[in-house]
Amino acid sequence: MKIISVIGARPQFIKCAPVSKELRKKNHEILIHTGQHYDYELSKVFFDQLGIPTPDYNLGIGSASHGKQTGTMLVEIEKVLVNEKPDVVLVYGDTNSTLAGTLASVKLHIPIGHVEAGLRSFDRNMPEEINRVLTDHASDLLFAPTQTAVVNLKKEGMSQGVFLVGDVMYDVLKQSIHIARESQILKTLAIQPKEYFLATIHRPSNTDNIDNLTQILDVLSSADKKVIFPVHPRTKHFMKKYGLERSIGENVQLIKSVSYFDFLWLEQNAEKILTDSGGIQKESYLLKVPCITLRENTEWVETIEDGWNILVGTKKEKIIDALHNFNPTGNQRKLFGSGNASIKIVKILEEYSSRNFLKL
Ligand code: UD1
Ligand code: UDP
């Protein structure tokens, strides 16, 4: 099977690592990096650390408005697909790179596999929600990470080609946590386990809006513990634009985005995690670290149902209350599979492609 995987942003590098490894055991994978993320600490570090092969094509699209970024990717991905004629295209998650890969493939009648299908926040203001819905509806093979995702797809009329495989982020976490233990990040930052909060934000609703961003930074500054805050470039841009860097409390340690292994170790040892990231909500659940989600909604509703994640939006009082009083201890269900989602995905792809060959 000749398969093209389209990736371009930080979480996609992490998600594709275990799938790519499995895929390459028997098949020919061609990797397209759209170039949506391009800073070393948002891109290359993951290739180096997780052993992801160098992309066959780096389209170097970079940052731009949604239309320009997605449109330019579409044009460039199409050229590669016409040239390479893959049997299947694999896309991940819900970024503009996902949508561009999907549109380019569906117009050329190339079957699409969507890893992380069926996720819904039901919030159409999120660019990711539009990307997810469109990608799911254009895909032939829908690899759902959770039962909720399967139900979401069914409600939108999709039950054929849907496979509950578990979450590939659990695969990569399981494969990496023992390596993360070797991380020197706590030493470098001079922090002790369970004596700090870990924070990340990058959702446009939190970063691009001056009131929300100010509120969040104020709360972090008023926390009674050290806050380690790896700053996403989008957030850095708006903190600078709104002149908010100067008013940040001394307890908040701003650092650059860190590598996957360092970040896993920071998560594992944090007292609590504050985030608006999708992937980090899951990782904190899997690592049994309380997660305070700075959003009004989430795609990962099971983590809330199990009591390990709480939605607080950007309201100061709610966040502070959670910092003091949110102390989950309850049981966890096995929500994200068994850490073998990549193996299942590749098996399904191989069966699908051999059936398609027989049809020809
Ligand atoms: C993107 C995804 C989001 C995902 C996130 C993961 C979309 C619409 N959004 O958001 O779903 O959760 O990645 O991190 O696809 N920038 C740099 N260096 C880089 C990349 C970006 O400085 O290497 C800056 C640029 O100023 C850019 C901004 O960050 O304008 C936003 O980047 P972009 O890729 O458009 O969206 P993200 O916010 O990163
Ligand atoms: N991550 C990382 N370094 C950081 C912050 C996050 O390696 O400084 C990893 C994190 O472990 C998770 C992924 O990035 O696997 C989440 O990506 P992000 O928050 O950018 O996107 P989202 O999941 O919200 O789409």
Side-chain angles (χ1 to χ4, degrees):
M1 170 174 58
K2 183 173 180 178
I3 187 150
I4 289 196
S5 302
V6 180
I7 52 178
R10 172 167 68 187
Q12 293 169 327
F13 308 136
I14 295 166
K15 287 168 199 173
C16 106
V19 183
S20 177
K21 205 193 297 168
E22 192 57 34
L23 208 48
R24 283 172 190 246
K25 287 183 181 164
K26 287 197 206 150
N27 306 284
H28 179 197
E29 185 193 35
I30 294 166
L31 211 50
I32 300 182
H33 183 335
T34 63
Q36 178 169 351
H37 284 176
Y38 43 87
D39 289 346
Y40 173 78
E41 59 274 8
L42 259 85
S43 175
K44 181 130 190 334
V45 65
F46 300 104
F47 287 79
D48 293 347
Q49 206 166 61
L50 296 170
I52 307 164
T54 305
D56 301 272
Y57 296 88
N58 192 326
L59 307 179
I61 307 294
S63 307
S65 66
H66 284 281
K68 187 169 178 197
Q69 187 181 57
T70 312
T72 317
M73 285 176 191
L74 175 55
V75 171
E76 295 305 316
I77 294 171
E78 183 181 63
K79 286 182 197 161
V80 179
L81 298 186
V82 168
N83 188 31
E84 293 285 357
K85 299 184 181 45
D87 301 307
V88 183
V89 168
L90 204 53
V91 295
Y92 290 84
D94 51 23
T95 72
N96 288 347
S97 299
T98 317
L99 181 62
T102 301
L103 291 176
S105 313
V106 73
K107 297 270 181 174
L108 291 169
H109 309 294
I110 300 168
I112 303 162
H114 183 203
V115 178
E116 219 180 63
L119 271 290
R120 296 292 182 268
S121 66
F122 303 101
D123 176 359
R124 290 248 170 166
N125 288 318
M126 287 180 77
E128 293 84 1
E129 186 73 356
I130 309 296
N131 293 341
R132 290 177 195 129
V133 170
L134 296 177
T135 298
D136 283 340
H137 282 264
S139 294
D140 302 86
L141 298 169
L142 295 139
F143 299 115
T146 59
Q147 184 58 40
T148 309
V150 173
V151 173
N152 289 339
L153 291 168
K154 197 163 184 207
K155 283 185 186 155
E156 291 176 30
M158 289 171 279
S159 46
Q160 262 207 331
V162 175
F163 301 92
L164 177 58
V165 290
D167 199 308
V168 293
M169 284 187 84
Y170 183 30
D171 295 18
V172 62
L173 183 147
K174 222 173 155 184
Q175 291 164 21
S176 307
I177 193 71
H178 67 283
I179 309 171
R181 275 177 223 288
E182 310 292 318
S183 164
Q184 296 300 306
I185 190 77
L186 300 195
K187 216 181 196 176
T188 308
L189 297 174
I191 47 175
Q192 298 296 324
K194 303 297 165 189
E195 288 189 1
Y196 63 92
F197 299 129
L198 177 65
T200 79
I201 48 170
H202 73 277
R203 294 260 99 83
S205 58
N206 285 337
T207 54
D208 304 16
N209 176 309
I210 186 167
D211 293 334
N212 290 347
L213 187 54
T214 308
Q215 290 240 44
I216 293 170
L217 296 177
D218 278 358
V219 179
L220 299 183
S221 302
S222 69
D224 57 4
K225 276 214 162 81
K226 190 155 197 167
V227 178
I228 302 298
F229 185 6
V231 186
H232 189 282
R234 170 177 218 107
T235 316
K236 188 174 174 205
H237 170 81
F238 283 99
M239 280 166 65
K240 205 164 167 205
K241 181 172 171 188
Y242 299 144
L244 299 175
E245 273 164 330
R246 289 185 298 274
S247 50
I248 290 177
E250 276 179 15
N251 64 316
V252 181
Q253 194 164 348
L254 302 178
I255 57 172
K256 276 189 167 186
S257 297
V258 297
S259 73
Y260 180 63
F261 297 153
D262 283 349
F263 195 76
L264 274 187
W265 203 233
L266 281 173
E267 288 181 292
Q268 178 70 91
N269 288 290
E271 183 181 329
K272 289 177 188 171
I273 296 175
L274 298 102
T275 192
D276 58 13
S277 156
I280 295 170
Q281 289 176 63
K282 276 185 286 181
E283 286 169 353
S284 50
Y285 177 91
L286 291 165
L287 296 169
K288 289 198 161 182
V289 178
C291 184
I292 301 170
T293 295
L294 305 167
R295 286 175 49 187
E296 303 291 347
N297 50 54
T298 180
E299 312 72 57
W300 304 104
V301 286
E302 303 88 344
T303 60
I304 308 272
E305 289 160 8
D306 271 15
W308 283 84
N309 186 4
I310 185 169
L311 291 177
V312 294
T314 54
K315 292 276 173 307
K316 242 183 201 172
E317 312 72 50
K318 272 193 162 179
I319 305 174
I320 292 173
D321 184 51
L323 279 176
H324 291 138
N325 302 318
F326 182 59
N327 297 305
T329 50
N331 283 341
Q332 293 192 339
R333 289 168 288 166
K334 231 177 168 210
L335 296 178
F336 298 110
S338 314
N340 60 358
S342 322
I343 294 174
K344 289 183 179 172
I345 288 170
V346 171
K347 206 162 164 249
I348 293 162
L349 282 167
E350 285 170 354
E351 278 167 15
Y352 174 84
S353 110
S354 65
R355 255 188 289 130
N356 267 11
F357 281 135
L358 288 177
K359 260 196 251 161
L360 289 175

